[in-house]
Amino acid sequence: MKQQQSISNFFTTSDTFTAPDRRKRLKTEEIGDSTSNHDVTSPSRASKYRFDTSQSLAHDGQHLDDDAHTTDKHKQKLRLHQRFVEKLGHPDSIVELKRRTWHGAEDPVDDVARGEPDGEDADDGVEGSFNATTTTPKHGRGAVVELVAAKKTTARLTPMEKQMLEIKRKHIDTLLVIEVGYKFRFFGEDARVAAKELSIVCIPGKLRYDAEHPSEAHLDRFASASIPVHRLHVHVKRLVAAGHKVGVVRQLETAALKAVGDNRNTPFTRKLTNIYTKGTYVDDVEGLNPPTADASAGASTAGSGGAAPATGYLLCLTETNAKAQGTDEKVHIGMVAVQPNTGDVIYDDFEDGFMRTEIETRLLHIAPCELLIVGELSKATEKLVQHLSSSSSNIFGDRVRVERMEKSKMMPAQAYSHVSSFYAGNQRPFKSAQDETATDLLDKVLRLSEHVTCCLSAMITHMSEYGLEHVFDLTKYFHSFKARSHMLLNGNTLTSLEIYRNQTDYSGKGSLFWTLDRTKTRFGQRLLRKWVGRPLLDKDKLQERVAAVEELKQGGQIAMVEKLKSLLSRTKCDLERGLIRIYYGKCTRPELLTILQTMQRIANEFASGGGTRHAGFETKIINDAVSTLPTVGDVVVAALEKINAEAARADDKCALFRENEETDEIADHKLGIASVEQELDAHRAVAAEKLRRKRLDYVKVAGVEVCSKVPLRPISSKQIEQNLIEVENTQLKHVPASWLKISGTKKQSRFHTPEVVRLMRQRDQHREALAAACDAAFAALLASIAAKYQTLRDCVLALACLDCLLSLADVASQPGYVKPEYTDGACISVTQGRHPMVEQLLLDTYVANDIALSSTATRALLITGPNMGGKSSYVRQIALIAIMGQIGSYVPAASAKLGMLDAVFTRMGAFDNMMAGESTFMVELSETSDILKQASSRSLVILDELGRGTSTHDGVAIAHAVLEHVVREVKCMTLFVTHYQTLSQLAGGFEHEELKNVHMRFAETGEGGRDITFLYEIGEGVAHRSYGLNVARLANIPQSVLDVAAIMSQQLEEEVKRKRLISMSTALASLTSNETYWAEMVLDVLEEGIEQL
């Protein structure tokens, strides 16, 4: 009966509740009915105030006329209950405040200044939210919940989080690290990325920056990760090295000034002060390279087996639409590359074919760490860029950051206007002859091609974001990539000959640069890298460089050479990067002192030379370099006279300048601080009199300055409050009511007097103003030094040149190296030549070989021989010796006579390009086509096993045609490696032996010549077998397979011999005929056939 009545009462009031309320009510009644002693007439005091939707239904004696009153009462209780639930999770609730206190707040000011409604407005807002959710189901329950969640999420943002979101929306592609109190913090997705890269903890929270997203509506704060302030640049370098774009957001206000300012209740003002990428990180003299124990080790990073040092170039590309399709495709490309760490700028404008060999050559030479692409690229160029930049194991040895910029139709005109206005606004008055040269170069900059101007404008805009746009003011250091004074080594040559990196693990060890790099300084190493990649074409300059290496090697001026070596060994810092940091105004005080003292030592070492004629050396290049070193003495001494060395070494900005060099502003603020300190000292007597003491002394307790009768030694360096007056609690009756109690212990209390508060405020203001004045004076000092940047840079370049010459002299001092002789004609004549890298890596003795090529005699060699017989090593050593000779280095040989080559082209190895739909053979022939178009009579061409990617007949035909073309038409020096023995017949067609057959010698041993011994010596004639089965045996092919292969090989050889015998028999029969016209040709065929048999 009771159950029926409860159900009846439930349906009576069901129109006032929603479906969830009905389920809740039924559950409550079932629990109530299951209780045996349920007293509904005398509820306890607690149950009186407990919300229960079934209380009105439990009274059996209720009348039907009270139903309306009961319904209103339940509605009111339900509304109050829901408001309480909403308020319980509200940011203003006690639970939330306790939770925040437990986890800690990011910003003390921000946690107080919440953007939440409170009071009546807050209640109304919550009630409105609840009513919207429960009484408007026609709009969709999910949509309403999402709206409410979005409102709550937006309301929960702190002012600091709002600051972060405002900056993040403007720099969505930047990983932001934000200064918050005594830490730097990452928020949202940035925190997750930073935690992964830096191996730090990420506190869970919202990752998305669109605060209204429903997937994270249940979260009330952003995910975060933090790093200490003093480790900022360590972690920023790691993030930048990983390829991220990192922005540093700093607090622009200090806590001291903010505490006494009118805006003390507002959050700290924050601003994005620095942005870094791989190419633009110049805030550390070490850059992104790991520090080493000394300069020598740092300069020889590649020598330790690691990757070669990155060049640090930013490269901008733009491309016009293709003029044709297929193999006739032509694109026009402009580029500008800048190295912010040194100030060097490289530009170029060129056409490229469908294989994109030109752009590949430039990318491999420059090896940029960052790419800026202006406009759209063609598919072939895009794939090449992606191939070279996407993989962490690419030829650059690192991941390359790629950014893009839109290109409008009006960009050429806008770019010219932009570049013109940039240089017009930044041009300085010119006085010296060097500055007049810079003016001439500035005119050349304004006469650059359309594509280069677009790239230059884009780079100026791009670098402005990092505050480095003034690097383009240094027009003296603009260089064209295709300068006529240097040999151009294309991408295939750089890779095949292992100029910068080996082909095994892409590290520097085993490369030509690794072999020649004995430099002591970083800037010397960078210059040597340029020398290696761009051999000289000017014979006079080349002979001058080699003569300088010879003079340093022979040691005619032993004392001067040893002085140079000692000077370079003691040059620990990277002067080139340090100078450019001074030019940017990013140099620190200790770094400035190191740079100036180092340059002063350099200038003093050769200050007594008195000029070029008295430098003490015979060669002009060394005399010019040595005489340049003392020219910076006056500039450096003038700067050093202004600063205090100890203060600069300790990075003390306030004491940096000597007293007579301080600005009026610095002097005024120092006097102001001294005056305040004197007043504070005098105030001790007044305070002591009020406390009825004779004297008070300021001391530090736990890092806090206090004023006490007993001086104590500080036990902590953390300063919380200063100028505290410490009074024993038994003497508090003497303390005036106007004194402000700051802290206390069980026995003592500490106070600030009103006068102390006023004086401290003045002192803090003077200190902050003094710091700003010192920073301004230091910036002015850097600007005055930067005005002499070109003079200082010339000195560093001269020292780098001397470092490179000494490095080449060190290489020349090795046993077996000889000075090459240079001729005007195209020739390569080497006796007992060796591979420069292999002989250093091999434990055994390297087998030397000769070579004799000349444009007037034998200019091509057809090289045959067994597999693994040393053919590729032989042709590589010839090319490397030729390149080393034109770098200005001694070469590994007994004697060498070299002509001036304009290029070295190689076609070696088997590669495909599946993404472009090109097979191995297609790539092979495309590269060969480029060589045939670009090679001249002064080029060295290496073709290794051309035609092996197709059938024997087609491969032989193509190899035959190409070989004949390069020898007869191009007339270049050629090394042609092949396993097609039939090509040897081509040599008989040249009367003056322009083409000569040679082979790698070997000795047959074992049963039936089964085993062979490689002699690695070059010999005349043709090797009629390649001994591929021997290589298969060395590769551990199963013996059963080798047996079958041997039988097939023997059968094929016998078949070939049988056909040749038949051919020779036919030729002999033709001799008996009357056709004497063919008799001589038939005899030649018979002679050749007998030789082959």
Side-chain angles (χ1 to χ4, degrees), residues 382-643:
E382 184 71 34
K383 289 176 181 178
L384 175 64
V385 170
Q386 292 297 329
H387 170 70
L388 293 178
S389 63
S390 60
S391 174
S392 60
S393 61
N394 55 25
I395 195 66
F396 300 151
D398 200 356
R399 288 180 294 177
V400 179
R401 178 180 176 83
V402 179
E403 294 194 23
R404 300 179 185 274
M405 181 182 293
E406 294 183 357
K407 182 179 181 180
S408 62
K409 295 182 179 180
M410 299 298 296
M411 186 172 185
Q414 295 172 352
Y416 182 81
S417 176
H418 180 211
V419 172
S420 300
S421 60
F422 173 79
Y423 282 103
N426 292 285
Q427 193 169 7
R428 301 173 181 176
F430 297 98
K431 299 178 182 179
S432 64
Q434 294 179 348
D435 292 337
E436 292 177 0
T437 304
T439 306
D440 296 337
L441 289 172
L442 174 59
D443 295 336
K444 293 181 180 179
V445 168
L446 298 179
R447 292 196 298 268
L448 292 173
S449 66
E450 177 182 307
H451 293 83
V452 176
T453 303
C454 290
C455 290
L456 181 58
S457 174
M459 285 295 284
I460 292 174
T461 303
H462 181 71
M463 298 294 282
S464 299
E465 184 180 2
Y466 307 95
L468 304 177
E469 67 277 11
H470 294 294
V471 68
F472 294 104
D473 294 346
L474 308 173
T475 52
K476 181 179 179 180
Y477 304 104
F478 274 55
H479 303 286
S480 174
F481 181 82
K482 48 187 177 185
R484 286 307 185 198
S485 60
H486 301 90
M487 179 199 299
L488 182 61
L489 304 178
N490 63 20
N492 281 335
T493 303
L494 292 177
T495 304
S496 300
L497 300 183
E498 300 177 319
I499 301 297
Y500 292 130
R501 301 177 186 274
N502 64 54
Q503 290 184 291
T504 305
D505 59 358
Y506 295 103
S507 68
K509 185 175 182 179
S511 65
L512 179 62
F513 178 67
W514 169 79
T515 303
L516 300 178
D517 183 20
R518 310 293 174 87
T519 55
K520 304 295 183 182
T521 62
R522 294 277 182 85
F523 47 90
Q525 185 185 49
R526 285 193 290 269
L527 181 60
L528 181 63
R529 190 182 192 278
K530 296 178 183 177
W531 285 10
V532 171
R534 308 180 76 183
L536 294 173
L537 292 179
D538 191 327
K539 181 183 174 183
D540 295 335
K541 291 183 179 179
L542 182 57
Q543 289 179 333
E544 184 180 359
R545 184 182 291 180
V546 174
V549 173
E550 182 182 19
E551 183 177 4
L552 294 174
K553 171 183 174 292
Q554 292 177 351
Q557 298 287 338
I558 298 178
M560 297 290 287
V561 173
E562 291 301 323
K563 184 187 291 188
L564 274 175
K565 291 182 178 179
S566 175
L567 178 63
L568 291 169
S569 299
R570 288 182 286 121
T571 304
K572 304 295 183 181
C573 64
D574 191 340
L575 294 177
E576 193 173 31
R577 283 187 173 178
L579 287 179
I580 199 67
R581 282 171 48 76
I582 292 176
Y583 186 83
Y584 293 142
K586 296 180 178 293
C587 183
T588 62
R589 294 166 182 84
E591 182 185 344
L592 176 65
L593 178 66
T594 302
I595 293 171
L596 293 179
Q597 289 182 341
T598 302
M599 299 201 74
Q600 183 186 27
R601 183 172 63 251
I602 293 171
N604 292 338
E605 285 287 344
F606 298 93
S608 60
T612 302
R613 291 175 297 176
H614 306 286
F617 292 92
E618 296 180 1
T619 53
K620 182 176 183 298
I621 185 173
I622 301 179
N623 282 328
D624 290 345
V626 172
S627 63
T628 304
L629 301 182
T631 58
V632 299
D634 296 339
V635 177
V636 173
V637 170
L640 285 173
E641 288 290 334
K642 297 181 180 180
I643 62 177

